Amino acid sequence: MTCGSAAAADNRVFACSSIRYITPSGLSLQYVPGYVNDCDPFDQVTSEKLSRPDRILFIAAEATPFVKVGGLGDVAGSLPRALRDLGFDLRLALPLHPQIERDRYRLERLARIEIPSRHGEIPAEVFYTEVDALPVYLVASPLIPAEGPVYSTDSGRDGPKFVHFCLAALAIAGHTGWQPDLIHANDWHTAVAPYVQLLRRESDPVLARTASLLTVHNLPYQGEGAGAALAEFGIPPATGSPLPWWAQDRPLALGLLAADHVNTVSPGYAVEMQTEAFGAGLDGFLRQHRAGRLNGILNGLDLAAWDPATDAALTVNYNRDNLKEKAANKAALQREAGLKVDPEIPLFGIVSRMDEQKGIDLAVEGLRLVRDRAWQAVILGTGNREIEAAAISLAEQNPGRARVWIDFNDALGRRIYAGADVFLIPSRYEPCGLTQMIAMRYGAVPLASAVGGLKDTVRDYSEGGDSTGFLFRNPSPFEFADAILRVIEVFGDRRRWRGLQLRGMKQDFSWDGPAKLYRDLYRGLIARRKEGS
């Protein structure tokens, strides 16, 4: 294949020759590759060493310890390490956000990659570092604002930086000689990668043998408005595809169309996202065009990072064998929140984003409905201004029994996990959720919605000897209030309550089991891709 450029009627045609391809659904599209190294040899397939471990490029918008906004940061920080422990040569790629402390990590400048666009080449600087023996690529881009949040409230505004990041991540192999066998993308921010992989497979024999996996952490967040960024980098919409017309230029939908396999973060959510209630408009597409290529793998928890026996933020450390020490953390939290120190009053805790998905408004209204009962509540979070105001109003109307912090404060959050008797998780939908896992590990009993990963991990009190918490079915303040009354009744029986705590603390939420499921999924996808199926 020879490199070159050609003139188009209205646009510059960049990189190599035009490609016609067939999607898994039979759709034929025309595409002009839009980034550098379309003609790079990468690793030569003929010289591949069969004895080497499988190579995985794991790309995400956030990951601990570099930067964390939500649960994706926890997963992308801990799952790659668990998979390397299983023998994969896995490397993580992240945007170099301004929140990442460059001086904290010994960054080695690896490459400068020029990414063609309709308005000229846009450079990406690739840096390399290692954290706990995990190789990490950090991609700097002039499209990443020098200050501001990782995610704006407008995904169209975020589109250019994430599309540019995806194209740079795909091009890393051409500058390093390290060619992945599988590229694992996460959510809309990186879902362009499997779509571009598909576009390039007929022209690139190496990509023809590179498998792709897309993990959906939150289906409604699809990258609406990012179509302009795709066009800027020469990436066409999936016009005429089985996707709904309105989704044909949304990054997440394009990834769902193109990836060899799609998974999500709990078995329950894998089923729910194929229903009208939870499918965010893509349920029909998922049911009809992802049959046999969509599953759920429950997220795990970094047990070393979340351990009440060693957590430095706690007043007193404890574990399952000396659970009585949790009482000292409750008393300390009550004092910190300005509440009455009383072990007999159930203390409810919330640590959450303040948005409609998380149902914090349901919790606030539910607590108001049972204000004639004895309870205390502490709430930590930030987000939607109306929901923040509702939580503040609850505290103002219940002085001495409710306290609200509008903040993101990791240490305080940990003290709430350790001090609360009950954790309230009234999500309207929840792909997986880590809050309920952390709560149980810290001996706080979850009261949660029976959706997604919550119902996969919390067993309702009605299940008797196997129960670990309380579930409610319908997202309404009245049903939530009824569930609170159930909790208060059981809390009054110390023996039954202690049993709930101990069973929760006994649960295995480590990455050991989920990582092995990913191992098997990776190996199957790599084998099928190398066979050309």
Side-chain angles (χ1 to χ4, degrees), residues 35-44 170-175 177-179 200 204 206-207:
Y35 59 98
V36 78
N37 291 324
D38 286 303
C39 305
D40 282 357
F42 296 91
D43 275 350
Q44 294 299 318
L170 287 174
I172 287 173
H175 292 267
W178 182 87
Q179 173 61 41
R200 297 190 64 223
D204 190 322
V206 175
L207 275 187

Side-chain angles (χ1 to χ4, degrees), residues 211-502:
S212 61
L213 172 66
L214 172 64
T215 297
V216 177
H217 299 259
N218 203 328
L219 185 63
Y221 293 86
Q222 299 170 11
E224 179 182 2
L230 297 174
E232 173 65 23
F233 289 101
I235 303 171
T239 306
S241 75
L243 289 169
W245 65 267
W246 50 264
Q248 292 174 0
D249 66 350
R250 293 187 180 185
L252 183 65
L254 296 176
L256 293 173
L257 175 71
D260 292 331
H261 192 85
V262 172
N263 83 298
T264 189
V265 291
S266 72
Y269 193 57
V271 174
E272 289 176 350
M273 61 194 284
Q274 299 178 67
T275 68
E276 184 175 355
F278 296 97
L282 294 174
D283 50 291
F285 169 80
L286 293 172
R287 289 193 304 271
Q288 296 170 29
H289 299 281
R290 273 288 157 188
R293 294 185 297 153
L294 169 63
N295 75 318
I297 299 176
L298 192 70
N299 281 338
L301 189 66
D302 185 337
L303 300 187
W306 295 102
D307 186 353
T310 59
D311 195 328
L314 307 193
T315 301
V316 177
N317 291 113
Y318 62 97
N319 57 28
R320 191 171 181 270
D321 294 328
N322 65 338
L323 183 54
K324 64 181 184 299
E325 300 295 343
K326 182 177 170 66
N329 291 283
K330 177 178 179 177
L333 180 60
Q334 288 172 320
R335 284 190 291 268
E336 182 175 4
L339 309 179
K340 179 182 179 181
V341 177
D342 187 340
E344 302 303 319
I345 299 177
L347 177 56
F348 300 124
I350 294 177
V351 177
S352 176
R353 294 197 317 273
M354 299 281 194
D355 62 29
E356 186 177 6
Q357 175 201 340
K358 296 299 182 180
I360 306 306
D361 55 312
L362 300 178
V364 168
E365 292 305 315
L367 287 169
R368 283 199 176 103
L369 290 172
V370 295
R371 57 180 173 267
D372 59 326
R373 300 299 182 96
W375 55 262
Q376 296 174 338
V378 290
I379 300 174
L380 170 65
T382 183
N384 180 283
R385 295 296 177 84
E386 292 183 2
I387 298 175
E388 289 179 357
I392 292 170
S393 176
L394 175 73
E396 291 174 346
Q397 295 168 8
N398 294 272
R401 66 188 310 199
R403 175 67 186 271
V404 173
W405 290 274
I406 304 300
D407 193 10
F408 179 85
N409 186 320
D410 179 68
L412 176 56
R414 290 169 178 272
R415 294 196 294 275
I416 294 175
Y417 281 114
D421 297 303
V422 186
F423 239 77
L424 306 182
I425 316 168
S427 304
R428 287 182 168 87
Y429 73 93
E430 192 61 71
C432 178
L434 297 179
T435 297
Q436 77 280 15
M437 300 181 193
I438 299 169
M440 283 187 271
R441 185 153 170 78
Y442 280 62
V445 175
L447 165 55
S449 305
V451 293
L454 297 176
K455 68 181 180 183
D456 287 339
T457 51
V458 179
R459 290 192 287 278
D460 186 71
Y461 186 71
S462 63
E463 297 184 28
D466 291 329
S467 60
T468 56
F470 298 84
L471 296 172
F472 70 102
R473 300 288 170 186
N474 298 314
S476 80
F478 299 100
E479 183 154 342
F480 187 75
D482 287 342
I484 291 176
L485 295 177
R486 290 177 63 208
V487 169
I488 292 174
E489 178 187 358
V490 178
F491 181 79
D493 186 322
R494 308 315 277 160
R495 182 187 62 81
R496 289 192 292 167
W497 193 259
R498 183 56 59 92
L500 279 169
Q501 291 177 294
L502 293 173

Side-chain angles (χ1 to χ4, degrees), residues 66-67 96-102 144-151:
F66 297 96
V67 61
L96 187 52
H97 297 291
Q99 291 82 357
I100 296 176
E101 302 173 26
R102 296 192 182 203
I144 299 175
E147 57 183 22
V150 172
Y151 308 118

